[in-house]
Amino acid sequence: MTSTEFTTANSAAAFVPAPATPYQGDIARYWNNEARPVNLRLGDVDGLYHHHYGIGEVDHAALGDPDDSEHEKKLITELHRLESAQADVLMDHLGPRGNDDMLVDAGCGRGGSMVMAHQRFGSRVEGVTLSAKQADFANQRAQELRIQDRVRARVCNMLDMPFETGQVAGSWNNESSMYVDLHDLFAEHSRILEVGGRYVTITGCWNPRYGQPSKWVSQINAHFECNIHSRREYLRAMADNRLVPQAVVDLTPATLPYWELRATSSLVTGIEEAFIESYKDGSFQYVLIAADRV
């Protein structure tokens, strides 16, 4: 694909395919209508708009005095720092990538991770989302950053991506795999990845050792209109689709400080308790899995 072709097709609104199922239509409407301050105000910090959560220890010195008039602004900046740190960890596991590589963000949201991936690797990055609103937002940011010839989002089904077989060097789902069947998802990533290509996911999953999804996990499903899978399902579906895990990292202890800090902010959405309590009782886990296409 030439840069001219890339730029010409840059408007997501140019073609919006019909959802493959009524459920996909529901998800598209959900994210087209979503405008939570917790996503937008954090992105306003530096122009990287994420749709995932954070990891790492809170820098309490950066927060300053809770009675300071600037405290809330500092708290939002810290939450955003933790979310960008999460994306950095995902990219650490993509391995060495370069200008000639093509990367795919499946469920790209407003494009923060795509921008970060291009800035780090110089690679061409394609994002896919069911939401035309998100794709247009991401493409507008790419234009503002003058990287629209290297970074693009478009509206399509991540189970049927518009890429040739073996075309992609690296791909990922960052908290987006709970909206699809895992076997279908990993079959599609396996198709588009070159042999030796790397796939990474960071996701919340229910812990098989707990027995069944807990009441907290059920609340999270209802809140986001998703279907959280178990850790076991991820590993089984990868094995069935020629994706061999190279790293499985439990990020649960690393994400809990983010949620505890977010629960003290003005940006609460009402779901914070479910995340905090499910992480603490062990029924829910925050996991990174990196796998190679064989």
Side-chain angles (χ1 to χ4, degrees), residues 186-209:
F186 294 148
E188 183 64 353
H189 279 285
S190 183
R191 182 190 69 79
I192 67 172
L193 282 167
E194 63 188 17
V195 174
R198 172 61 60 89
Y199 171 77
V200 182
T201 185
I202 295 182
T203 185
C205 56
W206 64 269
N207 187 351
R209 292 185 179 180

Side-chain angles (χ1 to χ4, degrees), residues 18-285:
T21 66
Y23 174 71
Q24 287 189 348
D26 290 343
I27 298 307
R29 284 188 290 274
Y30 178 93
W31 289 109
N32 280 333
N33 293 327
E34 183 275 333
R36 292 191 182 95
V38 72
N39 291 321
L40 296 172
R41 287 186 61 190
L42 269 63
D44 289 343
V45 171
D46 61 5
L48 293 172
Y49 292 84
H50 298 303
H51 280 276
H52 58 255
Y53 308 126
I55 60 172
E57 293 298 325
V58 173
D59 183 353
H60 291 283
L63 296 176
D65 189 337
D67 295 327
D68 185 346
S69 61
E70 294 290 303
H71 179 72
E72 182 69 11
K73 180 179 178 181
K74 293 176 180 177
L75 190 154
I76 289 170
T77 299
E78 181 64 4
L79 287 172
H80 182 67
R81 182 186 71 81
L82 296 175
E83 291 189 353
S84 291
Q86 186 261 33
D88 273 328
V89 168
L90 186 152
M91 289 170 206
D92 289 343
H93 286 81
L94 280 172
R97 301 298 167 198
N99 290 339
D100 295 333
D101 287 330
M102 177 176 167
L103 305 177
V104 170
D105 182 350
C108 64
R110 289 184 171 95
S113 294
M114 290 197 298
V115 173
M116 290 179 67
H118 171 69
Q119 290 174 339
R120 178 188 285 211
F121 302 116
S123 304
R124 182 156 58 95
V125 188
E126 290 257 14
V128 300
T129 173
L130 288 173
S131 168
K133 183 177 179 181
Q134 287 185 341
D136 283 337
F137 188 103
N139 288 332
Q140 180 61 39
R141 284 296 299 136
Q143 290 175 3
E144 291 166 357
L145 294 168
R146 299 184 179 180
I147 56 174
Q148 69 271 19
D149 61 333
R150 302 291 287 173
V151 174
R152 173 177 66 168
R154 47 179 155 171
V155 182
C156 71
N157 180 359
M158 70 172 75
L159 303 182
D160 184 21
M161 292 185 275
F163 310 120
E164 296 176 8
T165 298
Q167 181 183 7
V168 176
S171 62
W172 67 88
N173 285 94
N174 197 353
E175 296 184 20
S176 56
S177 55
M178 63 287 297
Y179 287 101
V180 292
D181 177 89
L182 291 181
H183 278 84
D184 293 344
L185 175 68
F186 294 148
E188 183 64 353
H189 279 285
S190 183
R191 182 190 69 79
I192 67 172
L193 282 167
E194 63 188 17
V195 174
R198 172 61 60 89
Y199 171 77
V200 182
T201 185
I202 295 182
T203 185
C205 56
W206 64 269
N207 187 351
R209 292 185 179 180
Y210 194 81
Q212 289 291 331
S214 68
K215 67 175 183 179
W216 302 117
V217 171
S218 297
Q219 287 184 23
I220 295 169
N221 276 334
H223 183 85
F224 292 106
E225 298 185 22
C226 64
N227 180 32
I228 292 167
H229 308 287
S230 72
R231 185 183 66 235
R232 182 182 297 138
E233 290 175 272
Y234 279 91
L235 298 174
R236 182 183 298 127
M238 285 183 179
D240 289 345
N241 288 286
R242 304 181 68 86
L243 294 171
V244 179
Q246 304 299 309
V248 180
V249 183
D250 184 358
L251 297 173
T252 308
T255 197
L256 192 53
Y258 164 88
W259 282 101
E260 291 175 334
L261 180 64
R262 176 167 149 172
T264 70
S265 76
S266 64
L267 303 177
V268 293
T269 62
I271 200 61
E272 287 77 14
E273 181 187 16
F275 277 91
I276 292 169
E277 294 304 321
S278 61
Y279 285 143
K280 286 182 175 180
D281 70 18
S283 63
F284 195 45
Q285 295 177 304

